[in-house]
């Protein structure tokens, strides 16, 4: 069985190589100057990434002139598709009058108001240049607020690339111990002391999470979590679990931080609005910057007041040369203004339709697959186990995952390498059908080689 499937994967890889020869040349040159020829882990893929020439609306075109229907949209960030005219116009207008000032602009206030008005947990916020900085600053604010040093996070939870959240993000199955805590370091030389300071919890496990949080509560400043887990095919956490984590963190004086850097696209006020669970702090990124680098963290005013230089509570400095840069602020404001209730509803309904169509394909063909996701987010997983946490997710079949990913690219469909993706406000029934048809063709090939 796996011999045939390996052959099928190799055919798909050879087909990709034959269509992307110019990209291959550029990649060989790039490897002389950047490790792996790339400057971002997720930009790299096997055998090599295609190089972008341009993109418009829902399509990205590579340097060999292959066009791809884009469900990756730069890690879900381009919610109105590529080169959205209003966004481009805002960037052009602003760039004519300056790209960065050391003085504030009213554009910062405009975007801050748009975000605070719609997000239940955010009374005030600060901008950063990436989601990584946003989670780093939110954690620092929670520490300063509680005067406690440890943090809690979940096994398999990704919150950017700084050290404190880089524990047990994607450990290999062979590295796992029975308990999620102590966690697992990500790279040699990463301070072992972090394992003392970062308490690692299992998703959707109320009993174990309660035990670990209670045991360390006097030292835990915050719990940082995504309500919908991006790295696990956009799996929404059980509502009971979300309610439980809200209650217990309140009880134990632990700041609850929702990382909504991806899930913010699910409703005007993010997943917290959808699930009606309000954290103490929230981190944002991706869609709020109009396709330019961005992040934000915010929450209860008494926590955020620690960053206010004119307050007697001021004890946390937050600098950053490009924080709130006017290009991002203007582009972000246009994007958020354009995101009406109807647009969320349309995207989410199409998402429901897509997940149901994908489910039917694998049911009809009797292939063990689970379609995860919620709203405009989806994930296709080949897995016999019910996906509920990191350990069940990593049972996904790696070979079938690669065949579907590579086959989709050859069919002109771009998803994340885990076969997850996002719709956008331009998505229609047509794109759903294209993805459905492509997936059906590849699934049928898989079936005949099992
Ligand atoms: C849930 C989550 N948190 C944090 C980050 C980090 O954001 P950035 O890549 O902007 O640093 C990401 C990025 O993919 C993310 O998905």
């Amino acid at each position: 069985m796996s011999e045939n499937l390996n052959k099928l994967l190799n055919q798909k890889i050879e087909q990709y190589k034959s269509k992307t020869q110019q990209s291959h040349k550029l990649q060989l040159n790039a490897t002389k100057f950047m490790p792996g020829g790339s400057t971002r882990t997720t930009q790299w893929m096997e055998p090599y990434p295609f190089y972008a020439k341009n993109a418009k609306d829902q399509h990205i075109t590579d340097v060999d002139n292959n066009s791809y229907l884009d469900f990756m949209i730069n890690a879900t960030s381009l919610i109105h598709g590529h080169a959205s005219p209003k966004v481009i116009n805002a960037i052009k207008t602003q760039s004519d009058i300056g790209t960065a000032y050391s003085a504030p602009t009213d554009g910062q206030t405009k975007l801050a108001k748009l975000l605070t008005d719609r997000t239940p947990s955010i009374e005030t916020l600060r901008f950063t240049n990436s989601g990584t900085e946003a989670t780093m600053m939110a954690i620092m604010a929670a520490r300063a607020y509680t005067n406690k040093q440890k943090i809690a996070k979940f096994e398999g939870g990704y919150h950017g690339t700084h050290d404190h959240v880089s524990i047990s993000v994607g450990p290999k199955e062979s590295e796992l111990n029975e308990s999620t805590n102590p966690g697992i370091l990500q790279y040699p030389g990463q301070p072992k002391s972090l394992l003392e300071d970062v308490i690692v919890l299992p998703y959707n496990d109320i009993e174990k999470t309660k035990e670990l949080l209670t045991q360390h509560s006097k030292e835990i400043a915050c719990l940082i979590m995504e309500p919908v887990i991006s790295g696990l095919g956009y799996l929404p956490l059980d509502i009971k679990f979300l309610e439980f984590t809200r209650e217990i963190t309140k009880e134990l004086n632990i700041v609850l931080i929702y990382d909504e850097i991806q899930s913010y696209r699910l409703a005007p006020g993010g997943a917290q609005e959808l699930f009606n669970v309000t954290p103490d702090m929230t981190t944002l990124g991706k869609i709020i910057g109009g396709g330019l680098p961005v992040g934000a963290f915010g929450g209860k005013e008494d926590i955020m007041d620690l960053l206010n230089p004119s307050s007697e509570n001021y004890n946390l400095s937050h600098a950053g040369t490009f924080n709130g840069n006017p290009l991002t602020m203007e582009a972000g404001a246009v994007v958020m203004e354009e995101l009406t209730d109807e647009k969320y509803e349309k995207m989410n309904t199409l998402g429901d339709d897509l997940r149901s169509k994908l489910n039917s394909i694998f049911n009809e063909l009797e292939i063990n697959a689970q379609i995860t996701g919620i709203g405009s987010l989806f994930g296709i997983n080949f897995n016999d186990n019910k996906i509920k946490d990191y350990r069940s997710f990593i049972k996904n079949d790696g070979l079938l995952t690669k065949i579907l990913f590579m086959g989709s690219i050859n069919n002109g469909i771009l998803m994340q390498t885990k076969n997850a993706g996002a719709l956008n406000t331009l998505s229609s029934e047509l794109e759903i059908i294209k993805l459905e048809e492509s997936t059906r063709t590849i699934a049928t090939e898989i079936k005949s080689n099992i």
Side-chain angles (χ1 to χ4, degrees):
M1 157 187 148
S2 74
E3 199 183 315
N4 286 348
L5 288 170
N6 270 314
K7 248 191 221 160
L8 182 61
L9 175 61
N10 284 335
Q11 276 167 17
K12 303 259 174 235
I13 292 174
E14 288 312 312
Q15 191 186 350
Y16 173 78
K17 285 183 180 169
S18 71
K19 288 170 72 170
T20 55
Q21 291 182 13
Q22 192 58 27
S23 282
H24 191 209
K25 275 192 204 144
L26 296 187
Q27 170 70 4
L28 289 176
N29 188 39
T31 53
K32 295 185 209 150
F33 311 108
M34 288 173 284
S38 180
T39 195
R40 176 180 177 193
T41 313
T42 46
Q43 218 167 45
W44 188 88
M45 59 170 259
E46 279 181 80
Y48 52 84
F50 67 77
Y51 275 63
K53 185 162 89 174
N54 54 48
K56 179 72 187 148
D57 296 339
Q58 304 194 62
H59 288 89
I60 179 165
T61 304
D62 72 13
V63 290
D64 292 276
N65 286 324
N66 299 299
S67 170
Y68 306 91
L69 179 56
D70 193 357
F71 292 100
M72 211 162 162
I73 42 171
N74 194 33
T76 73
S77 62
L78 301 165
I79 199 155
H80 300 311
H82 293 276
S84 175
K86 283 192 181 163
V87 176
I88 298 303
N89 196 34
I91 294 172
K92 280 188 179 153
T93 307
Q94 180 60 46
S95 62
D96 278 347
I97 54 172
T99 56
Y101 318 111
S102 42
T105 62
D106 195 42
Q108 295 177 349
T109 315
K110 185 167 57 177
L111 184 55
K113 177 168 171 29
L114 280 163
L115 300 172
T116 51
D117 278 355
R118 56 206 282 155
T119 316
S121 68
I122 304 187
E123 291 175 358
T124 62
L125 61 76
R126 278 281 181 102
F127 291 108
T128 61
N129 293 293
S130 66
T132 287
E133 288 168 74
T135 60
M136 185 181 78
M137 286 308 306
I139 288 171
M140 283 165 75
R143 281 184 168 138
Y145 182 71
T146 56
N147 194 16
K148 299 196 269 185
Q149 103 177 31
K150 296 190 183 189
I151 72 162
K153 75 176 285 287
F154 285 92
E155 186 174 78
Y158 176 69
H159 305 288
T161 53
H162 56 95
D163 252 338
H164 275 92
V165 290
S166 298
I167 301 288
S168 293
V169 177
K172 293 191 194 83
E173 197 166 6
S174 58
E175 292 177 302
L176 297 174
N177 301 310
E178 200 187 323
S179 175
T180 50
N181 196 66
I184 291 159
L185 295 170
Q186 188 159 297
Y187 62 92
Q190 190 178 16
K192 284 201 178 74
S193 56
L194 286 172
L195 299 179
E196 293 279 310
D197 281 340
V198 181
I199 308 301
V200 182
L201 315 168
Y203 282 124
N204 279 327
D205 185 336
I206 291 185
E207 216 170 286
K208 193 76 191 158
T209 297
K210 188 174 191 172
E211 185 188 313
L212 284 165
L213 286 179
T214 310
Q215 192 185 337
H216 299 275
S217 67
K218 292 212 163 52
E219 296 154 303
I220 297 179
C222 62
L223 166 61
I224 184 163
M225 63 190 288
E226 285 187 286
V228 172
I229 315 158
S230 310
L232 311 189
Y234 298 111
L235 179 78
L237 284 171
D238 290 348
I239 185 69
K240 279 213 172 76
F241 191 71
L242 290 172
E243 285 166 356
F244 152 76
T245 42
R246 175 60 288 186
E247 276 159 30
I248 191 158
T249 48
K250 205 173 268 175
E251 214 173 276
L252 300 175
N253 188 28
I254 292 169
V255 174
L256 178 63
I257 305 173
Y258 267 13
D259 178 345
E260 292 235 43
I261 286 167
Q262 297 215 43
S263 60
Y264 197 56
R265 60 171 18 253
L266 294 175
Q272 57 196 266
E273 181 191 330
L274 198 67
F275 296 128
N276 197 21
V277 178
T278 308
D280 303 303
M281 296 191 77
T282 299
T283 59
L284 304 175
K286 315 267 191 213
I287 66 166
I288 68 160
L292 296 180
V294 77
F297 64 102
K300 288 189 172 158
E301 204 162 357
D302 58 338
I303 302 177
M304 295 305 288
D305 197 40
L306 306 179
L307 293 117
N308 174 1
S310 64
S311 163
E312 60 184 23
N313 299 322
Y314 176 59
N315 63 17
L316 182 61
S317 166
H318 168 229
T321 306
F322 292 102
N323 289 356
N325 76 81
L327 288 181
T328 300
M329 297 298 103
E330 295 301 326
V334 168
V335 163
M336 297 315 296
E337 275 161 1
E338 289 282 299
L339 274 173
T340 55
D341 289 359
E342 297 71 46
K343 290 197 172 139
Y344 286 101
E345 209 175 300
K346 183 181 152 219
M347 279 192 295
N348 293 347
T349 308
L350 279 172
D352 289 343
D353 184 33
L354 172 63
R355 283 184 295 278
S356 130
K357 286 191 157 92
L358 291 171
N359 255 321
S360 302
I361 296 172
F362 295 104
N363 285 343
E364 280 164 32
L365 289 167
E366 295 178 342
I367 296 174
N368 278 332
Q370 281 167 62
I371 309 304
T372 46
I374 181 169
S376 54
L377 297 164
F378 67 91
I380 307 170
N381 313 279
F382 298 99
N383 198 324
D384 303 341
N385 306 273
K386 171 111 189 73
I387 299 172
K388 63 177 174 60
D389 55 14
Y390 177 72
R391 294 183 186 207
S392 46
F393 180 82
I394 57 170
K395 301 261 186 235
N396 274 7
D397 186 305
L399 184 53
L400 297 186
T401 302
K402 282 184 188 161
I403 292 172
L404 179 59
F405 171 73
M406 218 61 237
S408 302
I409 287 225
N410 291 336
N411 291 352
I413 303 261
L414 180 62
M415 296 187 282
Q416 300 164 18
T417 49
K418 289 177 185 170
N419 296 318
L423 306 180
N424 61 80
T425 57
L426 304 176
S427 299
S428 70
E429 192 62 26
L430 186 72
E431 287 75 34
I432 304 299
I433 291 171
K434 281 190 179 162
L435 178 53
E436 182 197 6
E437 283 175 353
S438 163
T439 307
R440 186 182 293 281
T441 309
I442 301 161
T444 308
E445 281 181 279
I446 287 174
K447 182 71 185 177
S448 56
N449 283 282
I450 285 180

